[in-house]
Amino acid sequence: MGGANLRQVWPLPDGVTVADVRGALEALEERHEGMRTRYQLDPGHDLAQLVWAPEPVGFDVREGGADATALAGQVSAELGDEPFALAVDKPWRARLITSAGQPAFLAVSVHHITADGWSMLQLGTEFLDLLAGKDLGEPAPTCRELAEEQHSDAWADRRTAAVEYWRRVVAEVPDPPAQLSADARTRWATLRSAALSRHAQLLAGQVGVPLPSVVFAAYAAAMRTRTGPDAHLVAVFAGNRLEPRWRNLVTSMNQIVPVVARCVDGEDLPAGARRQHWELVRSLRHGIFDVDAVTDAVREYGKNGSGPGFRYFYNFRDMAQAAILPVTAGDSAESDWTVETSLSERNNQNPFYLRAHAGEELMLSLQETSPAGDFEPMRRFVITMAEQLRDAATAGGAG
């Protein structure tokens, strides 16, 4: 199975030809080194990244007729399940879906070693710009340039500060290392609501903090309701693109950074959101670090700089990435709340993982990996988060 693959379907503008699609893909591959990098073990068993020269792009074409949209979804799922041999394969592949011979959709699968959610959005945007004949401007940055900067003497203090931050925060809330049993299954519970999106954005404006911080405060409150303790050690995903020069870098830049999600007696959600916001800001300052150095610093607590050992995870992402979530069956939780549940074959080894997606709808997607098969506690968790956000917004955001 291709559990480490990110997949998307890109609708194509009218009038686009097969040659146009091929030309745009070849331009993307030439622009972004990560799309033509292979990963091989050298004789000493260290991983070597080999950047190949641009090559002609090939892809299969499938005719969908009147069912092109359905076929695009099917082909996307098939692509996502196909593994990559990273030593010899390009880390991405695509298939074109036509309707009456006219290109209609492009299904794309990219290995997670090459791209994260931000990069997938970047690639889709640039692909459409190339089809429209737009100039993409300055050359894209490379991973080599990023590595050179982050390992320079100028970054020495930042590297040291990140290690110290990890050591301090992980020690603050001792948490036994999470371990997944062999019979663990991955389940999803996803709540979507347009009204909740409006409530959450209204609350963020009332409180004066960004939407991710408001949702994180609701996550902390729901965890307290579910588990009892006031504080939980959470691995928060850091996109690491706060510096403009790296925003167009196509790679997997996500790293996790520890944050204590703490509830304080007598504090309402708006006050908690204000306090937690500054905790998140401080954490993101240390979101770029040497994974090996951090792992050495927190090994005694059973944690790892790349995520193993953590139990709770939080990731706030753009709604454009929601298509990769495996959601199938649904039921109604409230008039505008739809809670959908599913079993997933994709297991990212994170025991309790909340993804929030912001757009016209607010989507709260909880992934839990454990031997249990009961969806009700998961449904109750995302509903509790929604209730917290709704009630605080309608109360006027006081606190």
Side-chain angles (χ1 to χ4, degrees):
M1 303 297 290
N5 300 340
L6 303 182
R7 55 186 174 87
Q8 285 190 344
V9 175
W10 297 339
L12 301 177
D14 293 340
V16 167
T17 67
V18 174
D20 293 334
V21 172
R22 181 175 289 108
L25 289 174
E26 289 178 347
L28 279 183
E29 186 179 88
E30 181 174 3
R31 175 173 169 80
H32 297 290
E33 283 190 357
M35 297 182 68
R36 42 191 171 87
T37 298
R38 272 71 166 181
Y39 301 84
Q40 299 178 359
L41 291 176
D42 65 18
H45 300 287
D46 290 326
L47 185 66
Q49 300 181 43
L50 307 178
V51 181
W52 289 30
E55 300 173 324
V57 168
F59 47 79
D60 294 334
V61 180
R62 300 274 298 273
E63 170 60 40
D67 296 324
T69 301
L71 180 60
Q74 175 187 327
V75 169
S76 177
E78 293 170 356
L79 272 180
D81 286 341
E82 293 180 10
F84 290 93
L86 293 174
V88 294
D89 291 344
K90 295 179 181 180
W92 69 279
R93 56 176 65 100
R95 287 179 189 150
L96 181 64
I97 294 87
T98 59
S99 178
Q102 172 65 36
F105 300 96
L106 187 72
V108 180
S109 175
V110 184
H111 195 281
H112 207 337
I113 200 171
T114 293
D116 51 22
W118 179 287
S119 293
M120 293 296 287
L121 183 61
Q122 177 75 20
L123 288 172
T125 300
E126 290 187 356
F127 175 74
L128 293 178
D129 286 346
L130 288 165
L131 288 179
K134 296 181 180 179
D135 183 358
L136 298 184
E138 294 293 323
T142 68
C143 292
R144 292 178 289 109
E145 294 167 343
L146 177 65
E148 183 178 3
E149 176 179 298
Q150 293 184 358
H151 286 84
S152 68
D153 291 343
W155 267 63
D157 288 346
R158 293 182 66 172
R159 293 194 298 270
T160 300
V163 172
E164 292 305 315
Y165 172 84
W166 268 77
R167 182 181 288 114
R168 176 178 61 80
V169 174
V170 170
E172 186 177 343
V173 183
D175 181 39
Q179 297 180 346
L180 297 177
S181 62
D183 60 344
R185 300 287 303 276
T186 300
R187 304 180 310 284
W188 286 94
T190 301
L191 184 148
R192 296 179 174 89
S193 171
L196 185 62
S197 179
R198 294 189 294 272
H199 282 138
Q201 293 180 50
L202 174 63
L203 180 61
Q206 293 169 340
V207 177
V209 300
L211 185 59
S213 300
V214 167
V215 177
F216 184 78
Y219 179 52
M223 283 195 294
R224 184 190 199 186
T225 298
R226 172 170 167 145
T227 66
D230 295 337
H232 297 80
L233 184 66
V234 179
V236 174
F237 280 77
N240 296 330
R241 287 182 171 86
L242 298 179
E243 298 180 36
R245 63 177 302 204
W246 304 119
R247 288 180 184 168
N248 293 336
L249 177 60
V250 169
T251 186
S252 190
M253 284 184 74
N254 280 345
Q255 288 183 280
I256 55 100
V257 61
V259 178
V260 176
R262 189 185 306 278
C263 294
V264 176
D265 287 338
E267 185 180 70
D268 60 12
L269 188 68
R274 294 188 190 97
R275 176 179 48 79
Q276 295 275 13
H277 168 68
W278 293 111
E279 293 296 328
L280 289 169
V281 170
R282 278 188 283 271
S283 73
L284 292 177
R285 293 181 59 191
H286 304 294
I288 301 175
F289 51 85
D290 184 315
V291 173
D292 293 331
V294 159
T295 298
D296 288 342
V298 299
R299 182 176 286 114
E300 64 179 295
Y301 302 101
K303 301 297 186 289
N304 183 296
S306 59
F310 284 87
R311 187 177 312 277
Y312 301 104
F313 293 80
Y314 176 78
N315 190 3
F316 190 97
R317 301 195 305 173
D318 186 275
M319 193 65 168
Q321 303 306 321
I324 69 171
L325 294 178
V327 179
T328 54
D331 55 61
S332 177
E334 194 168 298
S335 58
D336 180 54
W337 295 357
T338 301
V339 178
E340 301 171 330
T341 59
S342 70
L343 284 171
S344 171
E345 297 195 22
R346 181 182 181 191
N347 181 357
N348 63 10
Q349 302 297 311
N350 300 333
F352 198 85
Y353 181 10
L354 192 284
R355 293 181 181 178
H357 306 268
E360 292 185 3
E361 294 181 316
L362 182 63
M363 179 184 293
L364 305 175
S365 299
L366 177 63
Q367 174 191 297
E368 186 167 12
T369 302
S370 68
D374 186 3
F375 284 100
E376 184 55 31
M378 301 177 65
R379 290 182 70 259
R380 187 66 250 164
F381 188 90
V382 292
I383 291 172
T384 297
M385 286 188 64
E387 291 171 341
Q388 291 272 350
L389 293 167
R390 178 203 60 196
D391 293 348
T394 55

